[in-house]
Amino acid sequence: MVLAPERRAALIAWARRTSAVVVEDDYDAEFRYDREPVGCLQGLAPDLVVHLGSLSKSLAPGLRLGWAVLPEPMVDEFRTDKQYTDLGCSALDQLAFARLLADGGHDRHLRAVRARYRARRDALAEALARHLPDAAVRGVSAGLHLYLDLPPGCAEGPVVEAAAARGVRVEPVAPTRLTAPGPPALVLGHAALPERGLALAAQLLAGAVTETRR
């Protein structure tokens, strides 16, 4: 999760005090819609933070490319380990992406898809508010998914099955929980469909909720 400024400072202080290394996964950093991106932790303490990222959502998952920004003392060992344990990255793909970064093409691509995904997020959130007014939508500020708290009387499994029968795939939250069970909820992706398709999906999902609600 994105840490508040005071928690970021406390984490850096702890890492410095204990000689720890912080691994930072810059998840969804490219897709923040309603405010400026949050600065990475690595920029505050480059000697303590390993900053990780990938192209799986921002460009293409099939490229299988990611990156690690490392503290300087770790670079040589990391490079050697990667050389002998990972022979799967295409040199041509890496060089092409390096060129895309250098000439600004990646930044232009991100600006274009960010606007597209924001429009799709807005369409899905508005349709959910219209068709499922008693279900709370969260997680709208970033990313390619919304988190939907189901209304009272609903269970995840039956809703997922009823939605699938209508041609709408949604994911239950329960299998991803690490602690005790919580309120029923769904994860809804919005990147792959145009706005009209997302509005229809929300309407079909509302029908699935109505059908299974006790």
Side-chain angles (χ1 to χ4, degrees), residues 43-209:
L44 300 176
D47 58 323
L48 298 174
V49 178
V50 173
H51 179 87
L52 304 177
S54 82
L55 300 179
S56 63
K57 289 189 292 183
S58 63
L59 193 57
L63 287 174
R64 309 299 297 165
L65 290 181
W67 60 85
V69 182
L70 302 161
E72 185 60 33
M74 297 177 64
V75 171
D76 288 340
E77 183 178 1
F78 187 92
R79 182 184 292 118
T80 299
D81 287 347
K82 185 179 187 304
Q83 179 180 355
Y84 288 105
T85 60
D86 177 13
L87 301 177
C89 292
S90 162
L92 182 60
D93 289 346
Q94 293 179 72
L95 290 170
F97 179 58
R99 176 65 179 270
L100 199 65
L101 284 174
D103 67 11
H106 189 241
D107 285 338
R108 292 190 295 274
H109 165 75
L110 287 177
R111 286 195 296 271
V113 295
R114 191 181 296 122
R116 186 182 310 152
Y117 291 154
R118 178 174 182 167
R120 294 177 180 182
R121 177 210 65 171
D122 290 347
L124 179 57
E126 290 167 4
L128 290 170
R130 183 166 62 253
H131 297 294
L132 282 170
D134 52 351
V137 178
R138 294 190 279 152
V140 298
S141 62
L144 305 179
H145 301 82
L146 299 183
Y147 187 101
L148 183 73
D149 286 311
L150 289 171
C154 292
E156 292 178 8
V159 173
V160 170
E161 292 178 5
R166 290 166 165 79
V168 177
R169 178 177 175 176
V170 294
E171 297 294 333
V173 169
T176 70
R177 295 187 186 277
L178 298 179
T179 57
L186 303 175
V187 177
L188 313 178
H190 58 76
L193 291 176
E195 290 92 321
R196 182 177 298 178
L198 290 165
L200 175 58
Q203 183 177 357
L204 294 171
L205 177 60
V209 168

Side-chain angles (χ1 to χ4, degrees), residues 27-47:
Y27 189 77
D28 282 339
E30 300 94 346
F31 300 117
R32 292 195 170 275
Y33 304 114
D34 303 315
R35 63 178 182 178
E36 291 297 314
V38 178
C40 62
L41 201 63
Q42 190 271 345
L44 300 176
D47 58 323

